[in-house]
């Protein structure tokens, strides 16, 4: 008698692949066994040593043919009589990259064209007892994209080939200003065979927690096909004990269980540094009228109240843009995340954990999953839940004037629905943003963009993707989750352009890009929430030597190989601009690498230091977050990353870690020029003003001693003073403003100021250093 319980097993053995039509690397009709599954072509050819490593030298350009070829994967798998006789049998494809035709036993069962979409295909009538053959034929995503673009139109973009805008594939595969052109292809996610009489097809757990922190839990689940059954729903504590539950819930096509938990009954989830991260589990079991278990599912959840607060400020124009968790307002110090490898099938849970642990160890509490990559693997979000990392999640649109024709919209809607459903139960995910910088592209190319228009359909304008970001995506998010939706990153709202510093989030690229401001100006470049900013720096010298591949003749700045491993536009001029403004430096490679790293470290630490000062308490949260671009790389490269591809932190990682400690101290010194005679420009006084402040991210005030030591670099003069201070909770506190000790006032520009170094420290009662900074 066949089992009535739903079963699922991977189809992951015996896979082979071939280059359709053959070529120099893979001959015609030559089938190569894959080393692991899921996989993609580059990974397998590298394992076979049939192609050079594209991460070394100029090899990237010798493997471009892979992305323009057609490939086929096939396997045979056995099906037991019991499986074949089940009422339902489905093949589930978690992800195919990208244009794929699937055949089972010679019959076409699926055509796929979106890397971000999973497919469930009923195969009961095609499956047979014994041996079954599964074949997946992949067309070239690059060539398909070019063909689709010809049928529609060429659109504006930054980075990559314009055809990418028509293809629902990881956009960074087309090349970015930090990444190579490596067009992956293959079955990049698992494939399963599932058999069942009835299965739980969807679980939707909504936890509504108002200001009094009473949790209202709705557990909704759907049965496929509709079946008369009974369900039990149990919420379990992290230790496995039952928190609350219900039994004998009647089900036909769907069921629901509702629970109410007062504050104190459940353990709340907090971001790292503010409390614990207890992960609960919801367990659902469905049984038929004979008490036979039809299916069971478990989903992890946590209890937390998350809000994006956009309130008017007390004494500045604009509104806040901040995250509040369980009624606690959080300053978000964190990083942007790009895919951690050009070949995503090589990413393991251990590699994700190593990256995310590095982030937490660096005192960071938020990560932004950037919109030109992928909706990350489940393991990524599970680890963020566990470690208390807040996740800003973009939808996968980046730096482009995307289309909005019917077939594109249909694919995007399925993609959005699936990924919202997949991510909605994660307590770490606190915001979903429609895209990365697409409104900035529209502003740059002067596309149709009337921010006061809140009613149009937008599909007939020259910025048709506005329909996606303001109509399609928000409706999907609202229907399938309780997560806050933000139209873009950056996006100001309230009728303001994306560059407005008083509303929404801001990408502050006027250091490096834009007007190329000195990095000392971060304080006047601040926004309400700076979700991108950065400075380039070379990686560890061992990483440089890796991509050189032993080629000593290329071991100097701006060699062909070095230039191929820095994709940023105009990087030679911009690196040198910031270097020459701050250092006397050498072009000998070890020194050059070091100076770029120190420059990056000083630049980024300054931003965090100055912007944390703007977190001044409720109603005065002038800057509520800073997310550096970026924490990671997808290959060995010189980029804005603070940790290189091989998980080797740059000095910037450590200076940011220092600036995000619970207690910090900061200083600025600025020259003030006054004219006693307003009719004269020749008579003036120049004085140097020193300002000192401290920050405290804990929820309790902190008593400490401020110690300030000044010394003249060219004499034995020193000066030290101390002051008892109290750091306000969850806020910055101004500690001192006055003349710079040891610096005389000047009345002539020809007078050379003294070289005064100032060191500030915060000390607790035992003399332990809580924070330090020298200026």
């Amino acid at each position: 008698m066949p089992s009535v319980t739903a079963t699922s097993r991977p189809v992951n053995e015996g896979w082979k692949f071939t280059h359709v039509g053959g070529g120099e690397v893979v001959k015609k009709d030559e089938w190569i066994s894959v080393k692991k599954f899921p996989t993609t072509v580059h990974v397998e050819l590298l394992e076979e040593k049939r192609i050079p490593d594209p991460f070394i030298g100029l090899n990237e350009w010798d493997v471009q043919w892979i992305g323009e070829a057609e490939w086929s994967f096939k396997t045979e798998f056995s099906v037991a009589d019991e499986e074949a006789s089940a009422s339902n049998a489905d093949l589930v494809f978690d992800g195919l990259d990208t244009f794929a035709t699937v055949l089972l036993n010679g019959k076409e069962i699926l055509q796929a064209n979106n890397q971000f979409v999973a497919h469930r295909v009923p195969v009961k009538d095609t499956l047979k007892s014994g041996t079954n053959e599964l074949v997946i034929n992949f067309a070239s995503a690059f060539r398909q994209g070019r063909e689709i673009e010809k049928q529609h139109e060429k659109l504006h973009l930054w980075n990559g080939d314009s055809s990418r805008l028509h293809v629902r594939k990881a956009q960074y595969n087309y090349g970015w200003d930090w990444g190579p052109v490596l067009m992956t292809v293959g079955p990049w996610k698992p494939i399963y065979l599932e058999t069942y009489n009835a299965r739980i097809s969807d679980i939707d757990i909504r936890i509504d927690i108002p200001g009094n922190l009473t949790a209202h839990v709705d557990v909704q689940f759907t049965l496929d096909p509709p079946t008369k059954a009974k369900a039990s729903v149990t919420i379990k504590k992290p230790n496995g004990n039952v928190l609350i539950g219900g039994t004998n819930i009647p089900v036909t096509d769907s069921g629901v269980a509702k629970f109410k938990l007062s504050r104190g009954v459940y353990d709340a989830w907090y971001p790292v540094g503010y409390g614990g991260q207890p992960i609960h589990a919801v367990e659902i079991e469905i049984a038929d009228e004979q008490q036979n278990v039809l299916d069971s599912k478990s989903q992890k959840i946590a209890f937390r109240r998350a809000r994006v607060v956009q309130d008017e400020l007390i004494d500045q124009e604009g509104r806040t843009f901040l995250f509040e968790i369980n009624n606690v307002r959080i300053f978000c110090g964190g990083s942007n995340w790009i895919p951690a490898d050009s070949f995503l099938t090589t990413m393991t849970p251990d590699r994700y954990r190593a990256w995310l642990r590095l982030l937490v160890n660096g005192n960071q509490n938020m990560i932004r999953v950037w919109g030109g990559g992928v909706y990350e693997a489940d393991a990524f979000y599970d680890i963020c839940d566990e470690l208390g990392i807040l996740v800003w999640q973009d939808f996968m649109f980046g730096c482009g004037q995307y289309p909005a024709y019917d077939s594109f919209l249909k694919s995007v809607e399925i993609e959005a629905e699936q990924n919202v459903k997949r991510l909605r139960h994660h307590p770490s995910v606190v915001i979903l943003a429609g895209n990365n910088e697409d409104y900035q592209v529209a502003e740059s190319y002067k596309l149709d963009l009337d921010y006061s228009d809140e009613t149009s359909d937008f599909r007939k304008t020259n910025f048709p993707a506005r329909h996606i970001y303001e109509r399609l995506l928000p409706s999907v998010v609202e229907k399938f989750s309780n997560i806050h939706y933000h139209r873009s990153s950056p996006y100001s709202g309230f009728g303001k352009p994306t560059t407005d510093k008083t509303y929404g989030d801001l990408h502050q690229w006027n250091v490096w890009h834009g007007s190329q401001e000195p990095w000392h100006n971060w304080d006047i470049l601040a926004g309400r929430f700076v979700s991108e900013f950065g400075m380039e720096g070379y990686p560890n010298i061992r990483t440089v030597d890796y991509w050189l591949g032993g080629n000593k003749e290329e071991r100097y700045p701006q060699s062909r190989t070095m230039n191929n491993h820095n994709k940023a536009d105009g990087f030679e001029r911009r690196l040198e601009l910031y270097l020459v403004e701050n250092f006397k430096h050498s072009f000998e490679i070890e020194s050059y690498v070091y100076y770029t790293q120190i420059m990056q470290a000083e630049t980024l630490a300054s931003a965090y230091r100055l912007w944390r000062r703007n977190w001044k308490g409720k109603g005065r949260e002038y800057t509520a977050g800073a997310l550096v671009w970026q924490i990671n790389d997808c290959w060995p490269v010189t980029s804005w990353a603070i940790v290189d591809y091989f998980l080797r932190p740059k000095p910037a990682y450590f200076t940011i870690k220092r600036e995000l400690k619970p207690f910090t101290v900061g200083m600025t010194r600025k020259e003030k020029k006054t004219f006693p005679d307003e009719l004269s420009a020749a008579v003036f006084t120049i004085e140097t003003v020193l300002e000192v402040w401290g920050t405290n991210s804990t929820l309790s005030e902190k008593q400490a001693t401020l110690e300030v030591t000044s010394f003249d670099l060219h004499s034995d003069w020193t000066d030290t003073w101390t002051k008892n201070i109290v750091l306000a909770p969850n806020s910055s506190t101004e500690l001192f403003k006055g003349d710079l000790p040891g610096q005389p006032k000047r009345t002539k520009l020809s007078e050379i100021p003294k070289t005064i170094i100032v060191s500030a420290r915060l000390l607790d009662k035992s003399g332990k250093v809580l924070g330090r900074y020298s200026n």
Side-chain angles (χ1 to χ4, degrees), residues 74 98 210 424 678 765 771:
K74 71 177 181 180
T98 293
R424 64 190 172 193
E678 63 181 18
K765 292 180 180 179

Side-chain angles (χ1 to χ4, degrees), residues 612 615-617 662-663 694-703 725-735:
R612 277 192 77 179
W615 181 258
K616 294 181 179 292
F663 307 104
T695 68
N696 173 9
S697 65
T698 74
L699 303 183
S700 302
E701 69 176 29
K702 181 68 174 180
Q703 295 185 3
I725 56 98
V726 177
L727 298 176
N730 199 14
S731 176
S732 68
T733 302
E734 298 297 314
L735 302 178

Side-chain angles (χ1 to χ4, degrees), residues 323-382:
F323 292 85
E324 184 183 273
I325 309 296
N326 302 328
N327 300 335
V328 177
R329 297 187 171 196
I330 310 292
F331 181 89
C332 296
S335 291
N336 283 269
W337 170 270
I338 65 170
D341 209 296
S342 289
F343 305 126
L344 287 170
T345 60
T346 67
M347 288 299 296
T348 62
D350 285 345
R351 284 183 71 187
Y352 279 120
R353 182 173 294 279
W355 275 110
L356 294 170
R357 173 56 68 184
L358 202 60
L359 181 126
V360 168
N361 289 346
N363 295 322
Q364 299 186 37
N365 60 13
M366 176 174 268
I367 197 161
R368 172 177 172 245
V369 181
W370 167 75
V374 296
Y375 307 95
E376 274 296 349
D378 291 338
F380 175 92
Y381 303 100
D382 287 340

